[in-house]
Amino acid sequence: MRTVIVSDLHLAVGASIDLLRSEPIRAVLAPELERADRVVLLGDVVELRDRPQRRAIELARPVIGWIAAATGGGELVVVAGNHDHHLVAPWLERRSLGSLDGIGLEQDVELPDGALRELTADAGSARVKVSYPGIWVRPDVYATHGHYLDRHLTIPTMERLGVAIVERLLGVAPGLDRSAPPASSPEGTASEYEQVQTPVYEFLFALAQASPPDRRAGADPSLRIWQLLSGGESRAAKIRGWLLGSVALPGAVGVANRLGLGPVGSDLSPEAITAAGLEAMGEVVDRLRIDARHVVFGHTHRRGPLADDPEWRAGEMRLWNTGSWVASPTLVGTTGSRSPYWPGTVAIVGDSGPPELRHLLDGWTLAELERATGR
């Protein structure tokens, strides 16, 4: 079976930087989808933090329909991330009210009336499946969005600090306490992640729902929180915001550490953020007891490993990141397609061997991407 994994589409994000709403960009991805038996959309498929959900689904739905049609009736798997976590929030709530204790590493999510069904309503003959928090692509390949790593970051992102506050309020052992014993099962550990991270995601979702429908595109709630805390908006803030799907707070390091919300560090260079993300993902793999040779994730928008990177490992396990499909000029800067944050990467998983990363937009320039999206 040939599986194509695509992550971080952020459909309906403001400023038209979500590339797959552009027909010329879709034409580049189409050949890979047409050769796939299964397509996995690995989280942050639709942007639910930038505008009310109804409008976001309305903008994203045609693209999901196109992806489903391109598979020619194959399987389409949707995995939720942090920016579209609300898609699975009602399901998680129903489980918490029932008799089931944990969510395991791969659970099928029903498609009741609501946002998930609306999002996939144009899928046609494709076999749609929603899995959370991840999917076993092969017995030795596990894929998940990767947002659980926020709990273990030593980078002061807004989500990292938000999770730390929830941990304190609930009296839960902090994710950065390596001496704290993990739960006795992967199911229990996944539930622990949801316990401290869901409140943060739902708060940011609720802010977007309360936003005026005609407010300026791109002024997402997390960035507005940063502006309130820092007194303004900076290019560096936007860059760090896209790196981890949240906004880093440069002035928060000392305060966070004094309040016991850390330890977090002040080095916010791309190299430090990459290293911190890999270390945190390794912690997630360990705590969830993911017994695989390869783990594919997204979330950080940092594709890799690239040709000049060392192997990314968590013990004996290899890590792979599918990057994103958003074009942020402030993120890629002047390096263009040489940037590790350049969009357009997919992971191909066949019947054997390691995943293969294909960088489909490396022949494009930023100006061409902007023209294709009408910017």
Side-chain angles (χ1 to χ4, degrees):
M1 174 178 281
R2 177 187 175 89
T3 299
V4 175
I5 304 175
V6 191
S7 184
D8 292 88
L9 279 59
H10 289 276
L11 296 171
V13 73
S16 301
I17 60 177
D18 50 340
L19 294 176
L20 286 180
R21 280 201 288 148
S22 163
E23 185 174 349
I25 304 297
R26 292 199 299 271
V28 176
L29 178 60
E32 297 295 342
L33 301 183
E34 291 164 359
R35 292 194 294 269
D37 301 298
R38 173 174 56 190
V39 174
V40 177
L41 302 180
L42 197 62
D44 287 1
V45 179
V46 56
E47 180 57 64
L48 296 181
R49 296 184 181 179
D50 198 46
R51 64 180 87 231
Q53 178 177 257
R54 183 177 65 178
R55 179 57 176 159
I57 296 295
E58 182 181 274
L59 293 172
R61 177 173 161 172
V63 181
I64 302 302
W66 173 83
I67 291 172
T71 67
E75 186 177 40
L76 176 64
V77 182
V78 178
V79 178
N82 52 320
H83 281 244
D84 54 9
H85 184 271
H86 192 75
L87 293 176
V88 296
W91 171 78
L92 288 167
E93 183 178 2
R94 288 194 301 274
R95 288 185 65 89
S96 69
L97 294 174
S99 59
L100 298 175
D101 296 327
I103 60 173
L105 295 179
E106 177 183 348
Q107 295 287 319
D108 289 344
V109 179
E110 314 93 71
L111 285 171
D113 290 339
L116 269 176
R117 185 171 292 278
E118 283 295 316
L119 182 65
T120 58
D122 295 336
S125 62
R127 291 168 284 124
V128 178
K129 173 181 177 180
V130 181
S131 293
Y132 192 78
I135 177 174
W136 285 99
V137 180
R138 234 174 40 199
D140 62 337
V141 180
Y142 181 71
T144 184
H145 180 66
H147 51 296
Y148 285 171
L149 69 80
D150 286 337
R151 192 180 180 196
H152 308 298
L153 277 175
T154 53
I155 300 294
T157 67
M158 187 187 63
E159 290 190 7
R160 169 70 198 101
L161 300 181
V163 169
I165 291 171
V166 174
E167 289 171 337
R168 290 287 296 274
L169 291 173
L170 296 181
V172 175
L176 287 171
D177 183 358
R178 302 296 196 259
S179 65
S184 59
S185 67
E187 291 81 3
T189 305
S191 296
E192 285 184 355
Y193 281 115
E194 293 297 329
Q195 179 186 26
V196 297
Q197 295 187 215
T198 295
V200 177
Y201 303 150
E202 286 299 291
F203 170 69
L204 293 172
F205 170 79
L207 283 180
Q209 306 321 296
S211 299
D214 59 347
R215 74 175 167 80
R216 182 176 61 87
D220 60 272
S222 58
L223 183 55
R224 285 183 285 152
I225 290 174
W226 191 94
Q227 291 173 288
L228 288 172
L229 293 173
S230 66
E233 177 180 342
S234 72
R235 179 176 179 273
K238 290 182 179 180
I239 292 174
R240 287 184 289 266
W242 276 115
L243 293 185
L244 288 166
S246 53
V247 179
L249 307 176
V253 175
V255 173
N257 289 330
R258 285 195 298 273
L259 293 177
L261 303 179
V264 293
S266 58
D267 185 354
L268 302 181
S269 66
E271 295 77 16
I273 291 176
T274 295
L278 290 174
E279 181 180 0
M281 192 63 201
E283 185 72 15
V284 172
V285 166
D286 183 57
R287 294 197 181 204
L288 287 179
R289 300 170 185 80
I290 300 174
D291 185 15
R293 296 183 64 184
H294 306 278
V295 171
V296 182
F297 68 109
H299 184 51
T300 67
H301 293 200
R302 204 296 194 186
R303 56 181 179 162
L306 299 176
D308 54 352
D309 289 326
E311 282 191 350
W312 291 359
R313 288 193 173 272
E316 295 300 313
M317 188 179 308
R318 295 179 66 182
L319 301 176
W320 307 83
N321 192 294
T322 50
S324 80
W325 284 77
V326 293
S328 174
T330 55
L331 178 55
V332 300
T334 59
T335 60
S337 60
R338 299 190 307 278
S339 168
Y341 298 98
W342 189 254
T345 293
V346 300
I348 310 295
V349 180
D351 291 329
S352 62
E356 176 191 355
L357 297 183
R358 294 191 179 176
H359 310 297
L360 304 181
L361 295 177
D362 276 10
W364 291 58
T365 66
L366 185 58
E368 288 171 334
L369 293 180
E370 291 178 338
R371 284 198 296 271
T373 56
R375 292 165 56 201

